[in-house]
Amino acid sequence: DITVRSGDGGLKTYRTAEMLACREPQALFGRGTRVWKAVQVQDGQEVGNPVVLKDAWVDFDMTQEGKLFEQVRLADRSLAQEDTIDDLLLTVDCHGDVAYNRSSGAVLDHTLCFTESGVRLDIALSSREQLAEALTSSAVTQDDPGPESSTKLMSAKCLVHYRIVFRELCTPLSDETSLPAIFRALARVTLSKYFIVLRYIPSLTIDQYIALKRLHLAGWVHRDVSDRNVLLQAGLARLSDLEFA
């Protein structure tokens, strides 16, 4: 079982059922992204439909992916279009930074724990804001005085443990074997209005259903489009991974 803590402190527990993706979990400075098919657990019982739980280590100064989804939707609604971009993006169920409990309260799970001389520190921080403050200071003082009680941090790669849950259970475009399905998906997420495969979906209008164009109109750039970030669900394509937007 995996617990996801939202920004308001609320907790949800999910039980993993199947590993969907695993990227560089052993890499020293990698994101160690793991993705599971999961289901929510309440009072020990599984409830609701299957969801997708993503667990990763992200740069501490990057906006949380869940907040990016919220900001993109708000920007799209400000355009006052007849429809919304909701059907082109994933729906976030909950998200938040991972923390572990101590007697003093919840402590952020992060990698800011080594000095430049290789000494491990025990730095208890509760938020990314505190983490940023620690990085901007010249030194961090240990509770136990010693030769390394005040020393410079090794901050070249500071990551925070982060989890996000999506309601849609999809298949990456890279796993699709049907060319018509691939073309339909590309037509929904690419910017070009001259994509010849639009003739396969005459019921769709270009301005309403092309995800990247809608993002651009709302003032956003995805910056990480790939066949792993275009997802298929019931014949429809959704754009995922807004981490770098």
Side-chain angles (χ1 to χ4, degrees):
D1 291 358
I2 296 178
T3 299
V4 180
R5 183 188 68 157
S6 59
D8 59 4
L11 299 176
K12 284 188 177 182
T13 301
Y14 297 87
R15 182 165 295 158
T16 60
E18 178 186 352
M19 176 76 76
L20 301 177
C22 185
R23 181 182 179 187
E24 299 177 344
Q26 306 300 328
L28 181 60
F29 290 125
R31 295 183 176 274
T33 301
R34 296 172 295 175
V35 182
W36 289 278
K37 175 183 176 182
V39 64
Q40 188 177 354
V41 176
Q42 294 180 353
D43 299 324
Q45 301 296 318
E46 297 181 0
V47 297
N49 296 321
V51 295
V52 174
L53 191 157
K54 177 180 175 182
D55 178 285
W57 290 85
V58 300
D59 295 340
F60 84 97
D61 55 352
M62 292 179 63
T63 302
Q64 292 177 336
E65 187 177 6
K67 291 183 178 179
L68 289 175
F69 273 95
E70 294 172 7
Q71 292 172 15
V72 168
R73 282 187 162 92
L74 286 174
D76 181 72
R77 291 190 182 100
S78 69
L79 299 175
Q81 301 276 356
E82 292 184 1
D83 63 332
T84 69
I85 201 173
D86 290 346
D87 288 341
L88 298 170
L89 300 177
L90 295 176
T91 307
V92 178
D93 187 65
C94 65
H95 71 99
D97 294 330
V98 177
Y100 53 93
N101 293 321
R102 284 190 176 181
S103 57
S104 58
V107 177
L108 190 68
D109 195 9
H110 60 83
T111 62
L112 186 61
C113 56
F114 287 96
T115 69
E116 289 185 342
S117 58
V119 176
R120 182 178 178 85
L121 302 179
D122 183 14
I123 305 174
L125 304 170
S126 61
S127 68
R128 296 195 188 196
E129 290 74 22
Q130 290 185 4
L131 191 58
E133 184 177 348
L135 281 168
T136 55
S137 64
S138 59
V140 172
T141 302
Q142 286 277 67
D143 294 334
D144 182 21
E148 294 290 346
S149 62
S150 182
T151 186
K152 193 172 182 181
L153 294 168
M154 184 178 71
S155 59
K157 198 71 174 180
C158 182
L159 305 177
V160 170
H161 197 180
Y162 176 73
R163 289 172 180 157
I164 183 168
V165 177
F166 299 106
R167 294 177 184 172
E168 294 85 8
L169 184 61
C170 306
T171 302
L173 184 64
S174 57
D175 293 347
E176 179 57 58
T177 58
S178 167
L179 284 178
I182 292 173
F183 289 153
R184 282 194 294 268
L186 291 175
R188 281 175 61 88
V189 298
T190 55
L191 189 60
S192 173
K193 65 174 63 180
Y194 304 108
F195 218 103
I196 192 172
V197 298
L198 287 176
R199 64 187 179 89
Y200 288 107
I201 44 175
S203 62
L204 303 185
T205 62
I206 295 171
D207 289 337
Q208 287 179 325
Y209 291 97
I210 297 181
L212 287 180
K213 184 170 184 179
R214 291 296 291 268
L215 253 67
H216 296 170
L217 287 174
W220 288 82
V221 179
H222 189 280
R223 300 204 306 167
D224 190 26
V225 178
S226 71
D227 58 353
R228 299 294 299 179
N229 293 339
V230 177
L231 304 179
L232 301 178
Q233 182 196 37
L236 300 179
R238 294 178 184 267
L239 201 57
S240 69
D241 278 358
L242 297 185
E243 290 176 285
F244 300 103

